[in-house]
Amino acid sequence: MKKETIATTLFILLFILFAVIVKVYLGWPYKYFLETSNKICIEDKACFYAEIADTLSEREKGLSGRQSLGNDRGMLFIFESETIPGFWMKDMNFPLDIIWIDNNMKIVGIEKTLGPCEEGKECPVIYPDKQIKYVLEIKSGLSDIYGFEEGNSVFFR
């Protein structure tokens, strides 16, 4: 092989490696933080070990079909950009609190004690009042116990 061809191939491989690193660590910063501990915290009030739902299929499934959720557990739904997604309690077996979080990592709304859909009745879809980037689902009642409010800061630990 010619020296120029080897140099060009090496340059292309290094560029691709650099692009992948930038995409993984800068394009999706939440993954770096969550892979280290999987904790999402709300101010100094409480932290939850969060399962991540950041693909369409994971977001569609959510916590449906599960029998329970621990007091220190939750599911964090992550969207590519701010949006107003619809959530429902189809195939859920226990009630939840839903915390809407914006791109600035602030709580912009809380839906409390959303129960499973009743069989034979239409299952309502719940939307945030504002655009959000993240949704944290936790066990019903914990928002009140910990005193979560709109404007509280959220961070990864």
Side-chain angles (χ1 to χ4, degrees):
M1 262 179 132
K2 293 182 180 179
K3 287 184 179 181
E4 297 84 27
T5 306
I6 293 172
T8 302
T9 303
L10 186 58
F11 174 78
I12 290 170
L13 289 173
L14 288 173
F15 180 78
I16 291 170
L17 178 63
F18 176 75
V20 168
I21 289 169
V22 167
K23 177 66 176 168
V24 169
Y25 288 104
L26 296 180
W28 298 100
Y30 66 85
K31 285 201 177 208
Y32 170 75
F33 294 109
L34 292 174
E35 285 172 359
T36 59
S37 74
N38 278 16
K39 275 189 175 178
I40 184 166
C41 302
I42 300 173
E43 306 232 333
D44 61 352
K45 298 177 179 190
C47 293
F48 301 91
Y49 291 98
E51 292 181 52
I52 307 302
D54 62 354
T55 66
L56 181 59
S57 63
E58 290 170 337
R59 290 190 298 257
E60 285 177 350
K61 181 169 174 53
L63 293 168
S64 64
R66 304 233 185 137
Q67 296 305 310
S68 64
L69 186 65
N71 288 345
D72 64 342
R73 305 286 175 190
M75 180 166 276
L76 183 66
F77 296 77
I78 301 171
F79 298 89
E80 290 78 25
S81 60
E82 286 193 306
T83 185
I84 298 183
F87 276 68
W88 65 352
M89 300 294 288
K90 185 176 186 284
D91 298 327
M92 286 297 300
N93 295 311
F94 54 92
L96 294 172
D97 288 352
I98 295 180
I99 301 170
W100 310 110
I101 304 165
D102 70 9
N103 199 40
N104 297 316
M105 301 301 288
K106 299 283 186 187
I107 294 177
V108 295
I110 303 172
E111 302 291 336
K112 299 178 182 180
T113 315
L114 295 172
C117 297
E118 295 181 37
E119 194 164 327
K121 292 189 176 182
E122 189 173 330
C123 193
V125 179
I126 298 98
Y127 297 93
D129 292 332
K130 301 174 183 159
Q131 289 197 339
I132 56 92
K133 172 92 170 146
Y134 308 96
V135 174
L136 178 62
E137 291 184 342
I138 58 175
K139 189 174 180 180
S140 176
L142 293 179
S143 294
D144 284 336
I145 289 170
Y146 293 120
F148 299 155
E149 301 173 333
E150 286 188 32
N152 284 163
S153 295
V154 178
F155 58 95
F156 303 123
R157 181 183 291 179

